[in-house]
Amino acid sequence: MSKIKPSKGAPYARILGVGGYRPTRVVPNEVILETIDSSDEWIRSRSGIETRHWAGPEETVAAMSVEASGKALADAGIDASRIGAVVVSTVSHFSQTPAIATEIADRLGTDKAAAFDISAGCAGFGYGLTLAKGMVVEGSAEYVLVIGVERLSDLTDLEDRATAFLFGDGAGAVVVGPSQEPAIGPTVWGSEGDKAETIKQTVSWDRFRIGDVSDLPLDSEGNVKFPAITQEGQAVFRWAVFEMAKVAQQALDAAGISPDDLDVFIPHQANVRIIDSMVKTLKLPEHVTVARDIRTTGNTSAASIPLAMERLLATGDARSGDTALVIGFGAGLVYAATVVTLP
């Protein structure tokens, strides 16, 4: 018989507060059109994006995270000193080590909270939320801060017609803590590594360091381009529409609810056509509020779901206590879906 004492966590976990930060610079499609051969109408019809936010020099990954986290903590009514763990999902923090989460935890004033980064692309928030739920229920942390943050403008090739208009910057954060009733459902998550080439970084850091230009992409002036995110648009679209709708349904089934029970649908803000197609495939009733934050925020990868959640609550389009289906999907290819009660 094991001599290890059982964990003393909470019966369940829930999202207690949410916060977001969008950089001050708003970038309309007209700016994107300065470097690609396209049109405002084409960008809007293909993606739904009208504007996006790009970070300035002072709006670092850490700075944006601290701003969003401060709002989430205030919304939850939790002091930073009570945070037991900080989980940051990002692909745009360029220092390999240490984890940016450690700096954020310190700047927020946590009491030596556990802190680590994860790299799960656009599904990163769902991955972090699942880890946070486990920590709260297991008892290793009473409150966990989950942050999705990106400066994707640093990883955007402005001469790539397929992706130049897609990406934006920002940070979203939630506080996860104890609950006496189920408020974060089972997570349906996974990966399809055989499709990894459909969304990827153009050049690995080691190849970029070597600087051998023989087969590396060059800009219009003949310089080696800084590594950027590239994707096979049609392949990603088909995968997201058909496969992720199945995953979303599985998350509903795992939570024991039907589309009629939903109040809100918050998918990763990748493309408005993907969002609309998923709504149709899932046969969501008209009363379900659907997040379409992508129109003015763009694709912010790991930050997109908490940013969209924060905006829906701020505008009154969603209310505290609503039942929401959230699903993230992206590079890897990875995905994560769950049903939550909104804070």
Side-chain angles (χ1 to χ4, degrees), residues 160 162-163 166-167 197-200 229-233 236 299:
D160 180 2
T163 61
L166 284 176
F167 302 119
E197 292 296 306
T198 57
I199 306 175
K200 64 179 182 179
I229 298 172
T230 185
Q231 68 175 27
E232 298 174 13
V236 172
N299 180 342

Side-chain angles (χ1 to χ4, degrees), residues 1-135:
M1 179 178 293
S2 175
K3 297 180 180 179
I4 299 173
K5 293 181 179 180
S7 300
K8 295 182 179 180
Y12 305 102
R14 69 183 305 117
I15 299 174
L16 299 173
V18 60
Y21 179 82
R22 293 172 173 81
T24 56
R25 183 187 177 192
V26 177
V27 180
N29 289 337
E30 286 72 19
V31 171
I32 308 298
L33 297 175
E34 294 174 2
T35 51
I36 61 171
D37 180 16
S38 187
S39 68
D40 178 61
E41 189 279 331
W42 187 88
I43 293 174
R44 291 179 186 233
S45 65
R46 299 288 291 184
S47 68
I49 299 173
E50 301 167 11
T51 61
R52 74 284 292 145
H53 295 256
W54 282 355
E58 302 302 317
E59 293 169 313
T60 63
V61 167
M64 293 191 293
S65 297
V66 169
E67 289 291 331
S69 299
K71 294 176 182 177
L73 289 165
D75 190 42
I78 301 297
D79 188 84
S81 62
R82 301 181 69 187
I83 294 296
V86 177
V87 182
V88 177
S89 178
T90 185
V91 298
S92 47
H93 171 54
F94 289 160
S95 293
Q96 195 73 36
T97 192
I100 193 63
T102 58
E103 177 183 340
I104 295 166
D106 178 65
R107 289 176 61 172
L108 288 171
T110 68
D111 185 15
K112 300 180 180 179
F116 59 95
D117 299 349
I118 59 175
S119 177
C122 305
F125 175 74
Y127 275 49
L129 186 64
T130 303
L131 295 173
K133 172 187 173 183
M135 284 185 263

Side-chain angles (χ1 to χ4, degrees), residues 141-218:
E142 185 178 11
Y143 298 100
V144 180
L145 185 63
V146 179
I147 304 166
V149 57
E150 300 293 2
R151 272 183 56 119
L152 294 182
S153 58
D154 292 334
L155 288 169
T156 299
D157 180 356
L158 294 178
E159 296 178 346
D160 180 2
R161 188 173 184 272
T163 61
F165 58 90
L166 284 176
F167 302 119
D169 303 336
V174 298
V175 175
V176 178
S179 174
Q180 293 303 308
E181 60 183 14
I184 301 176
T187 299
V188 177
W189 58 353
S191 65
E192 298 185 31
D194 60 314
K195 300 180 180 66
E197 292 296 306
T198 57
I199 306 175
K200 64 179 182 179
Q201 185 172 303
T202 52
V203 182
S204 64
W205 296 118
D206 58 339
R207 287 298 317 283
F208 183 74
R209 179 185 63 184
I210 294 170
D212 177 6
V213 302
S214 60
D215 62 348
L216 297 184
L218 307 179

